[in-house]
Amino acid sequence: MSASLAPECNEVKERYDTCFLKWYSEKYLRGQGGTNENNECAAMFKEYQKCLTVALKDRGIDKLVEEAREDNKDNDALYLGRK
């Protein structure tokens, strides 16, 4: 598994990756998993996402991400079917 974009998030990313891969191989691929949003790994994903959000903000990258999202809002709407 690869390292996180933020080294301080590596541990939580590794726990999430392990959980996800187990869910994916043991449940999803066998038609038992439903969606990943409702599985046992969801809390770990939220924890990893929270860690990344803090790390990006601390580095000032969060503003660049928001600018990129704003710049591509029309493309997102077109390709993701949003109005």
Side-chain angles (χ1 to χ4, degrees):
M1 288 175 243
S2 62
S4 174
L5 295 172
E8 61 268 34
C9 301
N10 282 346
E11 184 180 326
V12 69
K13 180 186 185 299
E14 186 174 330
R15 284 195 319 265
Y16 169 70
D17 284 348
T18 300
C19 182
F20 177 83
L21 290 173
K22 182 177 179 186
W23 167 82
Y24 185 77
S25 63
E26 294 178 5
K27 294 183 180 177
Y28 182 78
L29 289 178
R30 297 176 183 180
Q32 303 167 357
T35 64
N36 192 32
E37 294 172 356
N38 298 319
N39 81 34
E40 59 271 12
C41 305
M44 285 182 225
F45 178 74
K46 288 185 188 281
E47 185 180 350
Y48 178 49
Q49 189 176 35
K50 181 178 178 183
C51 184
L52 279 179
T53 299
V54 170
L56 292 175
K57 185 175 182 181
D58 288 349
R59 291 166 174 82
I61 298 171
D62 61 323
K63 291 180 181 16
L64 297 173
V65 171
E66 287 303 316
E67 287 175 16
R69 285 184 179 145
E70 185 62 32
D71 289 347
N72 290 288
K73 184 172 51 175
D74 293 336
N75 287 336
D76 288 349
L78 176 67
Y79 292 109
L80 297 175
R82 296 181 191 150
K83 293 182 179 185

